[in-house]
Amino acid sequence: MRPVDAVAAVTYRCNARCAMCGIWKSPPTKELPPEAYRKLPAGLRDLNLTGGEPFLRDDLPEIHAMATAACPQVRTVVSTNGILTERILAQVSRMARTEPDLGIAVSIDGPREVHDRIRGVTGAYDRAMDTVRALKARGIRNLRLAFTATRENLEFLGETYRLAQDLGVEFTCAVEHSSDHYFHKQMAVGTPATDALREQLQAVMRNELRSFAPKRWGRAYFMKGLWDFASGRGRALPCLAGRDFFFLDPGGDVYTCNAAPYRMGNLAEQEFDVLWNSPSAGDARTQADRCQAGCWMVCTARTAIRRAWPRALAWAVWRKAFGVTLPR
């Protein structure tokens, strides 16, 4: 039982004021130095460096260098609001020398006025789009727009998906989640499972399934899981948090995931193998096994889909043949 997927929040500092996230309200916290990321387990295959706004760390390229040295097979994606264009370009240029296929996910939550309102920063949309175009011009190929569905922007999921297609970049999406220890906010009362979200997801899923790329079929299956979560049907597949996946906070605390507060240990105080096999980690896994939240995020869904690929493939083939209709 070794983790292959992780999210590492390298800072809780943030230059946005997002409506669906309370990280920006957090008091200053201790941040791991770059050399601590050398402790990450060698078997990691996917690593998301996030925040806060990760590019606020001057030493982000050093963090990335340590992580990729520790995990030679890792694929890294850095999540950003895209506001600090010049800083992002400078740091990505350094990081891409270490990992040429470095991924960058830039948050876009709808058209200009909607995005700026959700992100709480006037001009955030234009700056984020400048960042995407500049990264493309610099030869960064592994780019994606990342959409977070909230009650304020559900009807714009499809529009943002089409924007990603027009730009020639990938598209990822999520539904807002609650988390006291990461997002520092509980999801607003009410359900995002509206007809608008259902119709938007169906349209995107149908388009993804028209392709002959298994990766896009997997994306359609992931979106099915998003609807299951949003509509209260629970997870499409079992959760492997604390087994295949972990969340690392800026100060070194390791949790089973970024949604549930089950702490396994601290990377600044322990070597990873000691932490991962500790009684505290075992207790955290037991709690995670009993969790009924039903969360569905890329970080924990990805490994579950890979483990259950025959089921996901069968679903995709069936839906390619007979169409996608999500239950109300």
Side-chain angles (χ1 to χ4, degrees), residues 191-237:
T191 174
T194 64
D195 285 342
L197 178 61
R198 179 175 175 272
E199 291 167 7
Q200 302 281 306
L201 284 173
Q202 282 183 162
V204 174
M205 290 165 69
R206 288 167 181 160
N207 195 62
E208 291 296 287
L209 288 170
R210 289 189 191 105
S211 80
F212 291 95
K215 182 177 181 179
R216 293 180 64 179
W217 300 355
R219 186 175 296 135
Y221 187 82
F222 171 77
M223 291 179 183
K224 169 202 176 296
L226 277 183
W227 178 252
D228 288 343
F229 167 70
S231 58
R233 289 175 170 81
R235 283 181 63 95
L237 295 170

Side-chain angles (χ1 to χ4, degrees), residues 9-274:
V10 298
T11 183
Y12 281 154
R13 290 176 284 147
C14 195
N15 55 341
R17 300 293 180 265
C18 300
M20 67 288 200
C21 175
I23 288 176
W24 56 273
K25 300 177 184 178
S26 305
T29 58
K30 185 177 180 180
E31 296 174 354
L32 288 174
E35 55 268 22
Y37 292 87
R38 195 68 173 81
K39 291 183 172 184
L40 290 173
L44 279 186
R45 297 297 184 92
D46 291 283
L47 174 64
N48 178 206
L49 297 178
T50 186
E53 172 49 49
F55 287 102
L56 286 174
R57 285 201 62 159
D58 295 332
D59 56 0
L60 184 62
E62 286 72 31
I63 291 172
H64 174 251
M66 291 292 176
T68 53
C71 316
Q73 300 181 76
V74 79
R75 297 175 292 254
T76 312
V77 173
V78 186
S79 297
T80 177
N81 57 38
I83 292 174
L84 301 171
T85 303
E86 293 306 319
R87 173 183 279 261
I88 292 168
L89 291 175
Q91 294 195 11
V92 168
S93 178
R94 292 175 59 193
M95 295 163 74
R97 294 181 203 134
T98 301
E99 186 179 357
D101 199 35
L102 174 72
I104 306 294
V106 180
S107 295
I108 296 290
D109 293 320
R112 179 179 289 106
E113 64 278 7
V114 175
H115 179 84
D116 286 4
R117 183 172 66 250
I118 289 174
R119 294 284 156 177
V121 177
T122 300
Y125 178 89
D126 289 335
R127 293 180 213 171
M129 293 302 296
D130 285 346
T131 297
V132 172
R133 294 188 177 101
L135 287 169
K136 279 199 72 177
R138 296 281 183 95
I140 302 300
R141 300 181 303 275
N142 190 358
L143 282 173
R144 63 205 68 183
L145 301 188
F147 180 92
T148 301
T150 72
R151 273 155 291 280
E152 294 187 56
N153 68 342
L154 296 175
E155 66 268 32
F156 299 110
L157 187 153
E159 180 178 325
T160 309
Y161 172 76
R162 291 188 292 274
L163 174 62
Q165 290 186 308
D166 291 342
L167 291 168
V169 302
E170 293 193 33
F171 173 80
T172 63
C173 62
V175 173
E176 63 176 331
H177 281 65
S178 295
S179 174
D180 289 331
H181 72 289
Y182 177 44
F183 299 119
H184 298 186
K185 184 172 182 177
Q186 290 293 308
M187 191 167 62
V189 175
T191 174
T194 64
D195 285 342
L197 178 61
R198 179 175 175 272
E199 291 167 7
Q200 302 281 306
L201 284 173
Q202 282 183 162
V204 174
M205 290 165 69
R206 288 167 181 160
N207 195 62
E208 291 296 287
L209 288 170
R210 289 189 191 105
S211 80
F212 291 95
K215 182 177 181 179
R216 293 180 64 179
W217 300 355
R219 186 175 296 135
Y221 187 82
F222 171 77
M223 291 179 183
K224 169 202 176 296
L226 277 183
W227 178 252
D228 288 343
F229 167 70
S231 58
R233 289 175 170 81
R235 283 181 63 95
L237 295 170
C239 180
L240 299 169
R243 291 179 167 79
D244 284 1
F245 171 82
F246 66 89
F247 167 68
L248 175 65
D249 83 0
D253 280 339
V254 175
Y255 296 85
T256 56
C257 75
N258 44 348
Y262 308 135
R263 183 179 177 275
M264 306 178 82
N266 187 283
L267 194 63
E269 300 167 358
Q270 301 163 284
E271 294 301 318
F272 188 85
D273 282 350
V274 174

